[in-house]
Amino acid sequence: EIVLTQSPATLSLSPGERATLSCRASQSVSSYLAWYQQKPGQAPRLLIYDASNRATGIPARFSGSGSGTDFTLTISSLEPEDFAVYYCQQRSNWFTFGPGTKVDIK
Amino acid sequence: QVQLQESGPGLVKPSQTLSLTCTVSGGSISSGGYYWSWIRQHPGKGLEWIGYIYYSGSTYYNPSLKSRVTISVDTSKNQFSLKLSSVTAADTAVYYCARDDYDYDAFDIWGQGTMVTVSS
């Protein structure tokens, strides 16, 4: 099983600041890495697929990078609606998710 | 656009079988290029993929749950279903159905989720 580790567990930032979230895989997943946003009481929403491609309708302030074992989700300037939990997910070897990073308001 | 909706009992007794159905609307489950998955989220925890099915009936399950999971599809009703046997309190979770777009290698459409509690 490929284990995904996300850091930090919690990121406290103010609106307008830049958020940098990390996801590390226990072995290479090539570029088969996706990012999701989840707000309380809602289903996750796909943000990024194949490490760096924005899903339909996702604002340009969200960007993804990386390959192999190290990946980054960047939110260039936080909007109020961006405060949520973010999960990474791999599909190189069935599907596993990371434990999540909570982005909360400082 | 395609929407998914989970349905089924919200309370299941220990040792019994959890049964849920996902109804697909706005598109055909028989469209190629998509796998139809079940994913669960324990209260306050992360996400766990349970398994998927293709419209043809081929399945793939999470090895950690494989012995207890059956996913089936009914193309005439545009539905797919989950059965999880011998449930315990550890199976209490929000259960989501989701579409895995093969081109995206990711879950692009999700149902709203349904809470299932295992308790006597």
Side-chain angles (χ1 to χ4, degrees):
Chain A
E1 175 182 342
I2 295 178
V3 177
L4 299 179
T5 304
Q6 292 187 243
S7 61
T10 303
L11 194 54
S12 296
L13 295 168
S14 300
E17 289 193 294
R18 182 184 188 89
T20 303
L21 288 66
S22 175
C23 177
R24 177 165 290 178
S26 59
Q27 62 190 79
S28 176
V29 299
S30 184
S31 293
Y32 297 125
L33 196 286
W35 290 94
Y36 300 84
Q37 176 193 70
Q38 187 178 34
K39 297 178 181 178
Q42 296 184 17
R45 177 176 71 143
L46 177 65
L47 300 175
I48 301 288
Y49 66 94
D50 287 346
S52 61
N53 297 292
R54 274 190 302 277
T56 302
I58 301 304
R61 64 181 182 272
F62 291 93
S63 63
S65 63
S67 66
T69 60
D70 290 294
F71 300 86
T72 301
L73 173 69
T74 302
I75 310 171
S76 59
S77 178
L78 283 163
E79 297 288 338
E81 62 268 26
D82 298 337
F83 293 92
V85 179
Y86 293 83
Y87 293 98
C88 57
Q89 169 251 314
Q90 66 81 25
R91 75 159 294 160
S92 177
N93 181 289
W94 77 86
F95 302 93
T96 55
F97 293 85
T101 290
K102 183 178 182 179
V103 178
D104 64 15
I105 299 176
K106 188 173 182 180
Chain B
Q1 72 278 21
V2 175
Q3 293 183 311
L4 307 180
Q5 177 68 58
E6 306 89 350
S7 60
L11 181 64
V12 181
K13 288 182 168 51
S15 79
Q16 293 191 344
T17 296
L18 178 160
S19 296
L20 296 174
T21 295
C22 182
T23 301
V24 180
S25 59
S28 173
I29 201 170
S30 300
S31 299
Y34 304 113
Y35 295 88
W36 304 93
S37 277
W38 288 98
I39 297 163
R40 68 182 182 179
Q41 186 169 34
H42 296 101
K45 302 293 185 183
L47 298 154
E48 180 180 34
W49 174 74
I50 299 169
Y52 72 53
I53 191 164
Y54 195 56
Y55 77 92
S56 62
S58 60
T59 54
Y60 191 48
Y61 301 139
N62 185 324
S64 69
L65 296 168
K66 185 177 181 179
S67 63
R68 298 194 292 130
V69 173
T70 302
I71 298 176
S72 58
V73 64
D74 187 336
T75 54
S76 67
K77 294 182 179 178
N78 228 28
Q79 296 175 334
F80 62 106
S81 298
L82 168 70
K83 290 189 185 299
L84 181 65
S85 64
S86 305
V87 297
T88 69
D91 294 308
T92 294
V94 175
Y95 285 77
Y96 295 100
C97 56
R99 187 180 81 171
D100 167 27
D101 188 322
Y102 192 77
D103 285 340
Y104 288 171
D105 299 317
F107 303 104
D108 65 332
I109 298 176
W110 296 65
Q112 66 185 25
T114 187
M115 180 69 199
V116 178
T117 301
V118 178
S119 175
S120 56

